[in-house]
């Protein structure tokens, strides 16, 4: 329908992934789980990928979904992980599989990127005035005064990725780099970004020479998360000659096509936008103005975004995933199999720049509950000892509502203290929080 010339601003494309019964992707995962299959030691002929959608702060949903996969015992059942934007960060913590994984990576979202911390260090919405060409109006804001008197750094973008990828990932909720590096050799991470010069998606990997340490990897993540105009200048990597990199949403917002291009036969896709929500937003004059200003020297890229061609790509991806999830038999035996998990219709969508701690915490829980619900509906994908537990009960055990009564844990040590205090309850029935981790 899109390719036949329908007016984009009249289209309504929604996710529709609800299904019952089996699916080839779930069958392969269940078989591998039952066999205790390990990466690089497979007895089957398949190559299975985990593809994790981002979406700014909506990535909290996929963080919850991915954590449920660990609790289900599926951490060794995938051969590769693909992540665009926030999905790349979720993928890195998922591969590292640290102690308390079910909360550790997710807590980065609801403890470190919300509330006053977010407003002070991460998301500065007053920067939108500058992006729209009204920078003078910002002179009258409290934030500008604080910058003048030295209470805030100057020149930060609306979305400060350095806070996320340096302060949070390296210090406040440090990624277990040694654990990640070891498991990444078995289950490699593919960071998907957009090259606005070549006008295509790019697949950034350790094997491809795009990074070799955590600082280089987080630079690749910066490229993948670099929302045009909002997150600072375009990113250059030495490994991408003449390339200028921006957020993956331009050319591959949902990263299953890179997985298919690399020969994956089965792909489990974690989607963050709920089913039933229109994926084609109405044109925005504000956004158009921002793109014109930011891409003043690249008018073809500005036009691509203003005409919402990237949204067209996203809509086509959603339609393909709908079909592949609900009717796998129509793809043919020789075709790769795709299965998408998404929050059910009626769930509120989380905004890219959401800062409410309760909203983000609920997003994590919604993602976890959705994933558990799908896994429990298929034999062999959830621990038998926990069979009588509902998805809602499992979610409350993993993320008890009274977690929000505690002050945000701003350091690794304070998070560990909080986690250890809850571990006995969370590991009840051996279903939650069993991954190894060196806490010393």
């Amino acid at each position: 329908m899109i390719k036949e010339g329908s007016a984009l601003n009249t289209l309504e494309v929604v996710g529709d992934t609800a299904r019952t019964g089996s699916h080839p992707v779930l069958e392969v995962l269940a078989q591998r789980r039952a066999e205790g299959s390990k990466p690089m030691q497979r007895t089957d002929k398949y190559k299975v990928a985990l593809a994790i959608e981002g979406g700014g702060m909506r990535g909290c949903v996929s963080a919850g979904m991915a954590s449920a996969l660990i609790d289900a015992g599926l951490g060794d059942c995938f051969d590769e992980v693909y992540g665009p934007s926030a999905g790349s960060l979720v993928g890195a913590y998922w591969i590292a599989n640290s102690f308390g994984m079910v909360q550790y990576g997710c807590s980065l979202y609801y403890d470190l990127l919300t509330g006053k911390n977010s407003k002070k260090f991460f998301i500065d919405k007053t920067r939108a005035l500058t992006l729209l060409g009204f920078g003078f109006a910002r002179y009258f804001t409290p934030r500008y005064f604080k910058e003048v008197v030295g209470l805030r750094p100057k020149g930060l973008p609306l979305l400060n990725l350095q806070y996320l990828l340096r302060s949070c990932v390296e210090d406040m909720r440090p990624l277990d780099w040694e654990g990640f590096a070891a498991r990444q050799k078995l289950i490699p991470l593919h960071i998907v970004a957009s090259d606005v010069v070549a006008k295509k998606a790019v697949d950034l990997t350790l094997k491809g020479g795009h990074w070799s340490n955590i600082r280089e990897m987080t630079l690749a993540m910066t490229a993948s998360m670099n929302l045009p105009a909002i997150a600072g200048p375009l990113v250059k990597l030495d490994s991408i000659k003449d390339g200028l990199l921006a957020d993956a949403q331009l050319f591959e917002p949902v990263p299953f096509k890179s997985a298919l291009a690399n020969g994956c036969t089965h792909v489990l896709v974690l989607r963050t936008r709920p089913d039933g929500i229109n994926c084609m937003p109405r044109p925005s004059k504000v956004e158009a103005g921002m793109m014109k200003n930011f891409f003043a020297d690249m008018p073809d890229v500005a036009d691509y975004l203003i005409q919402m061609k990237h949204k067209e790509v996203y809509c086509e991806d959603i339609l393909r995933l709908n079909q592949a999830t609900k009717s796998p038999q129509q793809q043919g035996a020789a075709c790769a199999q795709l299965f998408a998990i998404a929050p059910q219709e009626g769930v509120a969508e989380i905004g890219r720049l959401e800062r409410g701690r309760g909203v983000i915490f609920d997003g994590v829980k919604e993602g976890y509950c959705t994933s558990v619900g799908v896994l429990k509906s298929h034999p062999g994908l959830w621990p038998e000892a926990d069979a009588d537990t509902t998805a809602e009960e499992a979610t409350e055990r993993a993320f008890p509502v009274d977690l929000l009564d505690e002050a945000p844990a701003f350091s690794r040590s304070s998070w560990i203290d909080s986690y250890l205090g809850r571990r006995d309850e969370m590991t009840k029935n051996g279903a939650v929080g069993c991954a190894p981790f060196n806490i010393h």
Side-chain angles (χ1 to χ4, degrees):
M1 180 173 66
I2 296 176
K3 290 185 179 297
E4 292 176 356
S6 300
L8 290 178
N9 61 359
T10 66
L11 289 177
E12 183 172 353
V13 176
V14 302
D16 182 14
T17 59
R19 66 167 276 122
T20 57
S22 188
H23 188 282
V25 172
L26 302 181
E27 290 171 1
V28 170
L29 290 174
Q31 183 64 33
R32 286 186 171 186
R33 182 177 181 276
E35 294 176 351
S37 179
K38 300 294 182 182
M40 311 297 289
Q41 303 174 32
R42 306 297 187 197
T43 58
D44 59 48
K45 59 184 178 180
Y46 305 119
K47 186 177 181 182
V48 184
L50 176 63
I52 307 172
E53 185 182 8
M57 291 300 290
R58 201 167 64 240
C60 67
V61 177
S62 55
M65 289 177 172
S67 294
L69 299 179
I70 294 293
D71 282 351
L74 297 173
D76 287 331
C77 295
F78 295 89
D79 301 301
E80 295 181 341
V81 176
Y82 290 77
S85 191
S88 65
L89 186 61
V90 173
Y93 278 89
W94 189 88
I95 290 172
N97 194 10
S98 297
F99 165 86
M101 166 63 200
V102 69
Q103 283 189 16
Y104 187 73
C106 296
S107 71
L108 185 152
Y109 273 98
Y110 55 77
D111 275 357
L112 307 182
L113 303 181
T114 60
K116 293 181 179 179
N117 225 44
S118 173
K119 189 174 182 180
K120 185 176 181 180
F121 299 113
F122 188 44
I123 299 174
D124 180 1
K125 295 183 179 180
T126 68
R127 287 289 177 186
L129 297 170
T130 303
L131 298 173
L132 292 170
F134 300 108
F136 65 90
R138 195 171 180 275
Y139 299 159
F140 304 99
T141 65
R143 291 203 170 207
Y144 181 77
F145 174 76
K146 290 180 180 179
E147 291 172 6
V148 170
V149 299
L151 296 178
R152 282 181 53 84
K154 295 181 180 179
L156 296 179
L158 190 157
L159 186 65
N160 182 13
L161 295 177
Q162 291 302 300
Y163 167 72
L164 169 62
L165 297 173
R166 294 282 183 89
S167 299
C168 296
V169 174
E170 293 187 18
D171 298 324
M172 300 163 74
R173 205 67 89 241
L175 177 71
D176 176 10
W177 176 255
E178 290 186 3
F180 168 81
R183 280 183 56 80
Q184 209 275 162
K185 294 177 181 178
L186 304 175
I187 308 176
L189 174 66
H190 295 253
I191 300 174
V192 181
S194 297
D195 186 343
V196 299
V197 176
K199 296 180 177 58
K200 66 177 184 179
V202 291
D203 180 6
L204 309 175
T205 64
L206 185 148
K207 186 176 181 180
H210 300 106
W211 79 75
S212 61
N213 55 54
I214 190 169
R215 187 62 58 84
E216 291 176 354
M217 185 182 74
T218 54
L219 180 59
M221 289 181 177
T222 300
S224 180
M225 299 179 187
N226 189 23
L227 289 167
I230 291 177
L234 299 170
V235 176
K236 295 182 180 180
L237 295 181
D238 292 339
S239 56
I240 305 292
K241 185 178 181 181
D242 300 324
L244 292 173
L245 306 185
D247 191 280
Q249 69 161 324
L250 274 69
F251 300 114
E252 192 172 350
V254 189
F256 64 86
K257 286 181 285 191
S258 286
L260 298 181
N262 287 332
C264 291
T265 61
H266 296 71
V267 185
L268 179 66
V269 181
L270 305 183
R271 283 190 43 233
T272 58
R273 179 174 272 119
D275 282 347
I277 290 180
N278 189 8
C279 297
M280 177 54 73
R282 299 298 174 251
S284 167
K285 292 183 178 180
V286 171
E287 187 172 331
M290 291 168 60
M291 294 305 105
K292 284 183 178 180
N293 288 336
F294 187 76
F295 287 110
D297 296 330
M298 304 180 74
D300 53 337
V301 180
D303 289 343
Y304 176 85
L305 292 166
I306 292 170
Q307 295 171 17
M308 298 196 299
K309 295 296 184 181
H310 61 306
K311 296 298 183 182
E312 181 177 327
V313 172
Y314 185 62
C315 287
E316 290 175 346
D317 287 351
I318 295 304
L319 293 173
R320 182 174 178 181
L321 287 171
N322 288 348
Q323 177 71 14
T325 300
K326 297 178 76 70
S327 303
Q329 70 280 2
Q330 296 180 16
Q331 300 181 85
C335 293
Q337 300 288 346
L338 305 169
F339 184 88
I341 299 177
Q344 66 183 2
E345 185 172 354
V347 172
E349 180 181 358
I350 293 175
R352 282 182 173 272
L353 302 179
E354 176 62 52
R355 296 189 300 206
R357 190 177 184 223
V359 174
I360 297 302
F361 185 71
D362 287 345
V364 170
K365 295 182 70 170
E366 182 63 43
Y368 188 92
C369 188
T370 298
S371 198
V372 173
V374 171
L375 297 175
K376 288 179 71 69
S377 70
H378 190 285
L381 289 177
W382 191 256
E384 293 183 5
D386 205 40
D388 294 334
T389 302
T390 66
E392 291 75 16
E393 290 169 342
T395 302
E396 183 59 28
R397 181 182 58 203
F399 298 98
V401 66
D402 61 359
L403 265 179
L404 288 185
D405 294 336
E406 299 180 6
F410 291 131
S411 69
R412 176 178 179 270
S413 59
S414 61
W415 179 85
I416 289 174
D417 288 343
S418 172
Y419 175 79
L420 291 178
R422 298 175 177 274
R423 182 170 57 180
D424 290 344
E425 180 63 24
M426 288 191 296
T427 56
K428 185 178 181 180
N429 296 325
V432 176
C434 300
F437 183 65
N438 179 7
I439 66 173
H440 298 295

PDB file of all heavy atoms in Angstrom, residues 319-340:
ATOM      1  N   LEU A 319       4.583  -3.789   9.141  1.00  0.00           N
ATOM      2  CA  LEU A 319       3.682  -4.643   8.360  1.00  0.00           C
ATOM      3  C   LEU A 319       4.315  -6.008   8.093  1.00  0.00           C
ATOM      4  O   LEU A 319       3.641  -7.048   8.142  1.00  0.00           O
ATOM      5  CB  LEU A 319       3.322  -3.955   7.048  1.00  0.00           C
ATOM      6  CG  LEU A 319       2.460  -2.690   7.173  1.00  0.00           C
ATOM      7  CD1 LEU A 319       2.303  -2.006   5.822  1.00  0.00           C
ATOM      8  CD2 LEU A 319       1.091  -3.023   7.756  1.00  0.00           C
ATOM      9  N   ARG A 320       5.598  -6.012   7.798  1.00  0.00           N
ATOM     10  CA  ARG A 320       6.284  -7.280   7.554  1.00  0.00           C
ATOM     11  C   ARG A 320       6.320  -8.135   8.808  1.00  0.00           C
ATOM     12  O   ARG A 320       6.106  -9.354   8.754  1.00  0.00           O
ATOM     13  CB  ARG A 320       7.697  -7.013   7.042  1.00  0.00           C
ATOM     14  CG  ARG A 320       8.469  -8.292   6.708  1.00  0.00           C
ATOM     15  CD  ARG A 320       9.800  -7.992   6.071  1.00  0.00           C
ATOM     16  NE  ARG A 320      10.544  -9.214   5.790  1.00  0.00           N
ATOM     17  CZ  ARG A 320      11.759  -9.236   5.246  1.00  0.00           C
ATOM     18  NH1 ARG A 320      12.354  -8.101   4.909  1.00  0.00           N
ATOM     19  NH2 ARG A 320      12.381 -10.388   5.031  1.00  0.00           N
ATOM     20  N   LEU A 321       6.579  -7.507   9.949  1.00  0.00           N
ATOM     21  CA  LEU A 321       6.621  -8.256  11.207  1.00  0.00           C
ATOM     22  C   LEU A 321       5.235  -8.775  11.590  1.00  0.00           C
ATOM     23  O   LEU A 321       5.105  -9.878  12.127  1.00  0.00           O
ATOM     24  CB  LEU A 321       7.189  -7.382  12.322  1.00  0.00           C
ATOM     25  CG  LEU A 321       8.692  -7.110  12.249  1.00  0.00           C
ATOM     26  CD1 LEU A 321       9.100  -6.065  13.276  1.00  0.00           C
ATOM     27  CD2 LEU A 321       9.493  -8.394  12.451  1.00  0.00           C
ATOM     28  N   ASN A 322       4.198  -7.974  11.335  1.00  0.00           N
ATOM     29  CA  ASN A 322       2.833  -8.450  11.583  1.00  0.00           C
ATOM     30  C   ASN A 322       2.572  -9.751  10.827  1.00  0.00           C
ATOM     31  O   ASN A 322       2.091 -10.736  11.394  1.00  0.00           O
ATOM     32  CB  ASN A 322       1.809  -7.402  11.129  1.00  0.00           C
ATOM     33  CG  ASN A 322       1.758  -6.175  12.032  1.00  0.00           C
ATOM     34  OD1 ASN A 322       2.313  -6.163  13.118  1.00  0.00           O
ATOM     35  ND2 ASN A 322       1.071  -5.147  11.564  1.00  0.00           N
ATOM     36  N   GLN A 323       2.887  -9.723   9.547  1.00  0.00           N
ATOM     37  CA  GLN A 323       2.634 -10.881   8.697  1.00  0.00           C
ATOM     38  C   GLN A 323       3.467 -12.083   9.130  1.00  0.00           C
ATOM     39  O   GLN A 323       2.956 -13.211   9.235  1.00  0.00           O
ATOM     40  CB  GLN A 323       2.947 -10.521   7.233  1.00  0.00           C
ATOM     41  CG  GLN A 323       2.798 -11.646   6.244  1.00  0.00           C
ATOM     42  CD  GLN A 323       1.348 -12.037   5.997  1.00  0.00           C
ATOM     43  OE1 GLN A 323       0.443 -11.293   6.378  1.00  0.00           O
ATOM     44  NE2 GLN A 323       1.136 -13.197   5.390  1.00  0.00           N
ATOM     45  N   ALA A 324       4.744 -11.843   9.376  1.00  0.00           N
ATOM     46  CA  ALA A 324       5.644 -12.947   9.718  1.00  0.00           C
ATOM     47  C   ALA A 324       5.296 -13.570  11.059  1.00  0.00           C
ATOM     48  O   ALA A 324       5.459 -14.783  11.259  1.00  0.00           O
ATOM     49  CB  ALA A 324       7.084 -12.448   9.736  1.00  0.00           C
ATOM     50  N   THR A 325       4.818 -12.764  12.001  1.00  0.00           N
ATOM     51  CA  THR A 325       4.467 -13.270  13.326  1.00  0.00           C
ATOM     52  C   THR A 325       3.178 -14.066  13.307  1.00  0.00           C
ATOM     53  O   THR A 325       3.080 -15.138  13.911  1.00  0.00           O
ATOM     54  CB  THR A 325       4.350 -12.095  14.319  1.00  0.00           C
ATOM     55  OG1 THR A 325       5.600 -11.413  14.399  1.00  0.00           O
ATOM     56  CG2 THR A 325       3.963 -12.590  15.709  1.00  0.00           C
ATOM     57  N   LYS A 326       2.181 -13.552  12.598  1.00  0.00           N
ATOM     58  CA  LYS A 326       0.860 -14.174  12.628  1.00  0.00           C
ATOM     59  C   LYS A 326       0.700 -15.307  11.617  1.00  0.00           C
ATOM     60  O   LYS A 326      -0.093 -16.219  11.827  1.00  0.00           O
ATOM     61  CB  LYS A 326      -0.212 -13.111  12.381  1.00  0.00           C
ATOM     62  CG  LYS A 326      -0.250 -12.027  13.460  1.00  0.00           C
ATOM     63  CD  LYS A 326      -1.273 -10.968  13.161  1.00  0.00           C
ATOM     64  CE  LYS A 326      -2.678 -11.435  13.442  1.00  0.00           C
ATOM     65  NZ  LYS A 326      -2.951 -11.597  14.885  1.00  0.00           N
ATOM     66  N   SER A 327       1.461 -15.266  10.529  1.00  0.00           N
ATOM     67  CA  SER A 327       1.295 -16.279   9.477  1.00  0.00           C
ATOM     68  C   SER A 327       2.647 -16.771   8.976  1.00  0.00           C
ATOM     69  O   SER A 327       3.004 -16.544   7.809  1.00  0.00           O
ATOM     70  CB  SER A 327       0.480 -15.690   8.311  1.00  0.00           C
ATOM     71  OG  SER A 327      -0.772 -15.204   8.738  1.00  0.00           O
ATOM     72  N   PRO A 328       3.406 -17.443   9.816  1.00  0.00           N
ATOM     73  CA  PRO A 328       4.749 -17.863   9.392  1.00  0.00           C
ATOM     74  C   PRO A 328       4.739 -18.839   8.230  1.00  0.00           C
ATOM     75  O   PRO A 328       5.671 -18.874   7.434  1.00  0.00           O
ATOM     76  CB  PRO A 328       5.325 -18.514  10.657  1.00  0.00           C
ATOM     77  CG  PRO A 328       4.123 -18.931  11.446  1.00  0.00           C
ATOM     78  CD  PRO A 328       3.098 -17.870  11.185  1.00  0.00           C
ATOM     79  N   GLN A 329       3.682 -19.626   8.114  1.00  0.00           N
ATOM     80  CA  GLN A 329       3.636 -20.625   7.051  1.00  0.00           C
ATOM     81  C   GLN A 329       3.599 -19.982   5.669  1.00  0.00           C
ATOM     82  O   GLN A 329       3.984 -20.600   4.670  1.00  0.00           O
ATOM     83  CB  GLN A 329       2.424 -21.554   7.213  1.00  0.00           C
ATOM     84  CG  GLN A 329       1.077 -20.901   6.945  1.00  0.00           C
ATOM     85  CD  GLN A 329       0.561 -20.090   8.112  1.00  0.00           C
ATOM     86  OE1 GLN A 329       1.228 -19.983   9.136  1.00  0.00           O
ATOM     87  NE2 GLN A 329      -0.624 -19.527   7.977  1.00  0.00           N
ATOM     88  N   GLN A 330       3.159 -18.738   5.570  1.00  0.00           N
ATOM     89  CA  GLN A 330       3.066 -18.077   4.281  1.00  0.00           C
ATOM     90  C   GLN A 330       4.412 -17.588   3.768  1.00  0.00           C
ATOM     91  O   GLN A 330       4.517 -17.121   2.642  1.00  0.00           O
ATOM     92  CB  GLN A 330       2.083 -16.900   4.367  1.00  0.00           C
ATOM     93  CG  GLN A 330       0.662 -17.334   4.663  1.00  0.00           C
ATOM     94  CD  GLN A 330      -0.303 -16.172   4.741  1.00  0.00           C
ATOM     95  OE1 GLN A 330       0.011 -15.072   4.287  1.00  0.00           O
ATOM     96  NE2 GLN A 330      -1.476 -16.398   5.311  1.00  0.00           N
ATOM     97  N   GLN A 331       5.440 -17.672   4.619  1.00  0.00           N
ATOM     98  CA  GLN A 331       6.754 -17.223   4.184  1.00  0.00           C
ATOM     99  C   GLN A 331       7.464 -18.281   3.338  1.00  0.00           C
ATOM    100  O   GLN A 331       8.375 -17.978   2.588  1.00  0.00           O
ATOM    101  CB  GLN A 331       7.644 -16.903   5.389  1.00  0.00           C
ATOM    102  CG  GLN A 331       7.079 -15.809   6.283  1.00  0.00           C
ATOM    103  CD  GLN A 331       8.008 -15.535   7.433  1.00  0.00           C
ATOM    104  OE1 GLN A 331       8.942 -14.762   7.306  1.00  0.00           O
ATOM    105  NE2 GLN A 331       7.782 -16.176   8.549  1.00  0.00           N
ATOM    106  N   GLY A 332       7.058 -19.532   3.459  1.00  0.00           N
ATOM    107  CA  GLY A 332       7.717 -20.600   2.719  1.00  0.00           C
ATOM    108  C   GLY A 332       8.832 -21.212   3.529  1.00  0.00           C
ATOM    109  O   GLY A 332       9.465 -20.564   4.365  1.00  0.00           O
ATOM    110  N   ALA A 333       9.103 -22.448   3.289  1.00  0.00           N
ATOM    111  CA  ALA A 333      10.074 -23.189   4.088  1.00  0.00           C
ATOM    112  C   ALA A 333      11.479 -22.633   3.971  1.00  0.00           C
ATOM    113  O   ALA A 333      12.281 -22.760   4.891  1.00  0.00           O
ATOM    114  CB  ALA A 333      10.058 -24.654   3.658  1.00  0.00           C
ATOM    115  N   ALA A 334      11.803 -22.024   2.821  1.00  0.00           N
ATOM    116  CA  ALA A 334      13.166 -21.545   2.616  1.00  0.00           C
ATOM    117  C   ALA A 334      13.392 -20.149   3.172  1.00  0.00           C
ATOM    118  O   ALA A 334      14.523 -19.658   3.189  1.00  0.00           O
ATOM    119  CB  ALA A 334      13.497 -21.558   1.119  1.00  0.00           C
ATOM    120  N   CYS A 335      12.338 -19.489   3.611  1.00  0.00           N
ATOM    121  CA  CYS A 335      12.449 -18.107   4.094  1.00  0.00           C
ATOM    122  C   CYS A 335      12.855 -18.067   5.565  1.00  0.00           C
ATOM    123  O   CYS A 335      12.514 -18.954   6.347  1.00  0.00           O
ATOM    124  CB  CYS A 335      11.124 -17.376   3.920  1.00  0.00           C
ATOM    125  SG  CYS A 335      10.647 -17.107   2.215  1.00  0.00           S
ATOM    126  N   ALA A 336      13.562 -17.006   5.921  1.00  0.00           N
ATOM    127  CA  ALA A 336      13.884 -16.784   7.328  1.00  0.00           C
ATOM    128  C   ALA A 336      12.600 -16.497   8.099  1.00  0.00           C
ATOM    129  O   ALA A 336      11.637 -15.945   7.558  1.00  0.00           O
ATOM    130  CB  ALA A 336      14.858 -15.622   7.451  1.00  0.00           C
ATOM    131  N   GLN A 337      12.589 -16.876   9.361  1.00  0.00           N
ATOM    132  CA  GLN A 337      11.405 -16.726  10.195  1.00  0.00           C
ATOM    133  C   GLN A 337      11.581 -15.561  11.166  1.00  0.00           C
ATOM    134  O   GLN A 337      12.632 -15.417  11.797  1.00  0.00           O
ATOM    135  CB  GLN A 337      11.149 -18.022  10.971  1.00  0.00           C
ATOM    136  CG  GLN A 337      10.904 -19.247  10.093  1.00  0.00           C
ATOM    137  CD  GLN A 337       9.554 -19.222   9.414  1.00  0.00           C
ATOM    138  OE1 GLN A 337       8.683 -18.439   9.771  1.00  0.00           O
ATOM    139  NE2 GLN A 337       9.374 -20.084   8.423  1.00  0.00           N
ATOM    140  N   LEU A 338      10.535 -14.752  11.286  1.00  0.00           N
ATOM    141  CA  LEU A 338      10.541 -13.591  12.170  1.00  0.00           C
ATOM    142  C   LEU A 338       9.381 -13.701  13.148  1.00  0.00           C
ATOM    143  O   LEU A 338       8.266 -14.062  12.763  1.00  0.00           O
ATOM    144  CB  LEU A 338      10.386 -12.294  11.366  1.00  0.00           C
ATOM    145  CG  LEU A 338      11.387 -12.024  10.242  1.00  0.00           C
ATOM    146  CD1 LEU A 338      10.916 -10.847   9.392  1.00  0.00           C
ATOM    147  CD2 LEU A 338      12.767 -11.742  10.819  1.00  0.00           C
ATOM    148  N   PHE A 339       9.659 -13.390  14.416  1.00  0.00           N
ATOM    149  CA  PHE A 339       8.597 -13.362  15.424  1.00  0.00           C
ATOM    150  C   PHE A 339       8.787 -12.122  16.278  1.00  0.00           C
ATOM    151  O   PHE A 339       9.871 -11.903  16.832  1.00  0.00           O
ATOM    152  CB  PHE A 339       8.635 -14.609  16.309  1.00  0.00           C
ATOM    153  CG  PHE A 339       7.498 -14.684  17.303  1.00  0.00           C
ATOM    154  CD1 PHE A 339       6.300 -15.271  16.941  1.00  0.00           C
ATOM    155  CD2 PHE A 339       7.631 -14.158  18.574  1.00  0.00           C
ATOM    156  CE1 PHE A 339       5.235 -15.344  17.844  1.00  0.00           C
ATOM    157  CE2 PHE A 339       6.584 -14.219  19.486  1.00  0.00           C
ATOM    158  CZ  PHE A 339       5.378 -14.814  19.122  1.00  0.00           C
ATOM    159  N   ALA A 340       7.740 -11.318  16.388  1.00  0.00           N
ATOM    160  CA  ALA A 340       7.823 -10.069  17.155  1.00  0.00           C
ATOM    161  C   ALA A 340       7.030 -10.160  18.442  1.00  0.00           C
ATOM    162  O   ALA A 340       5.925 -10.707  18.476  1.00  0.00           O
ATOM    163  CB  ALA A 340       7.318  -8.899  16.307  1.00  0.00           C
TER     164      ALA A 340
END
